[in-house]
Amino acid sequence: MTAMPADSREPLSLRERKKLKTRLAIRRATYRLLATQGYDATTVEQIAEAAEVSPSTVVRYFPVKEDILLTDEHDAVLDARLRARPADEKPLESLRAVVTEAVRTALAHEPEETRLRARLMAEVPAVRSRLTETTARTAQLLARAIADRTGRDADDLEVRVFTAAVLAALREATLCWAERGQGEDLLALLDRTVDTLKGGLSL
């Protein structure tokens, strides 16, 4: 999803910290290159050189170039924050809260990267296609938290449909924001999206 401060979890081991450092170096190098020369012109070899790692290391951490933009270490944080929401809060409002907070943090701490990522989601077919896959994986993770909160099974049809629909709708709001030049308030668009899911489409 998007970058956000780490929650208070178990300290990472030295090996895990080294892996995280490498992933971040690759991601930051990629954004620098994308900002100056564009997506198609940026190669794995260039990313590896800029990140001071081998091309095989880049591929080991990110099997396809799109994953550098679309996968991060924060799905587990989203899951933890969703589980920490008030027990009597409606699941839709809980998802609204955790996703909008993640986006708010990304816009505050990594505004240029967040805007570039959204633009590439909208403009590059390979990134947009991969986005559908990564959104589905995030939905599967968060569906387990929703299931636990509602006393249902994670494979329950209604749980799966609900979680997938909310995340897909929020993804569409982000794409709409990017396609319109990012001049609107993204957080307001996300709120409108959730309100539409809650109230339906007025005729």
Side-chain angles (χ1 to χ4, degrees):
M1 290 282 287
T2 48
M4 65 186 77
D7 279 13
S8 55
R9 291 173 287 169
E10 290 295 321
L12 297 176
S13 67
L14 177 60
R15 182 169 181 270
E16 289 171 330
R17 290 199 303 273
K18 287 182 176 179
K19 289 174 65 176
L20 178 58
K21 184 178 179 180
T22 300
R23 289 176 65 88
L24 291 175
I26 293 170
R27 187 173 290 119
R28 287 166 181 160
T30 301
Y31 277 113
R32 289 197 302 272
L33 291 168
L34 294 178
T36 58
Q37 63 187 39
Y39 186 82
D40 290 333
T42 300
T43 66
V44 170
E45 289 74 20
Q46 291 172 334
I47 293 169
E49 182 178 1
E52 299 183 343
V53 298
S54 68
S56 62
T57 297
V58 175
V59 174
R60 185 168 70 250
Y61 281 88
F62 302 100
V64 295
K65 189 168 66 172
E66 294 79 24
D67 284 347
I68 304 176
L69 297 174
L70 300 176
T71 62
D72 55 35
E73 295 71 41
H74 301 297
D75 275 1
V77 177
L78 281 175
D79 180 64
R81 291 184 174 179
L82 182 57
R83 292 178 182 277
R85 298 297 302 174
D88 59 350
E89 186 175 61
K90 292 185 178 299
L92 182 58
E93 293 305 323
S94 295
L95 282 172
R96 183 206 300 260
V98 299
V99 172
T100 55
E101 179 58 29
V103 173
R104 182 181 293 108
T105 301
L107 288 170
H109 293 278
E110 296 181 343
E112 293 181 4
E113 293 88 343
T114 301
R115 290 179 178 275
L116 176 58
R117 180 170 55 244
R119 181 170 62 78
L120 293 173
M121 288 175 184
E123 295 178 355
V124 180
V127 176
R128 193 162 185 158
S129 176
R130 193 67 169 178
L131 174 62
T132 301
E133 297 179 38
T134 58
T135 302
R137 288 200 295 269
T138 302
Q140 288 176 347
L141 173 68
L142 299 185
R144 292 195 287 272
I146 293 294
D148 290 343
R149 288 167 57 86
T150 58
R152 293 172 175 262
D153 187 84
D155 199 41
D156 183 282
L157 175 63
E158 285 77 13
V159 170
R160 292 176 59 174
V161 169
F162 168 78
T163 311
V166 173
L167 292 187
L170 294 171
R171 178 192 66 207
E172 283 303 308
T174 303
L175 290 171
C176 182
W177 175 67
E179 290 166 356
R180 294 178 178 178
Q182 302 180 351
E184 299 172 83
D185 183 340
L186 177 55
L187 294 173
L189 290 179
L190 296 178
D191 268 337
R192 282 177 56 192
T193 299
V194 175
D195 289 342
T196 298
L197 290 173
K198 182 165 59 176
L201 190 64
S202 298
L203 300 177

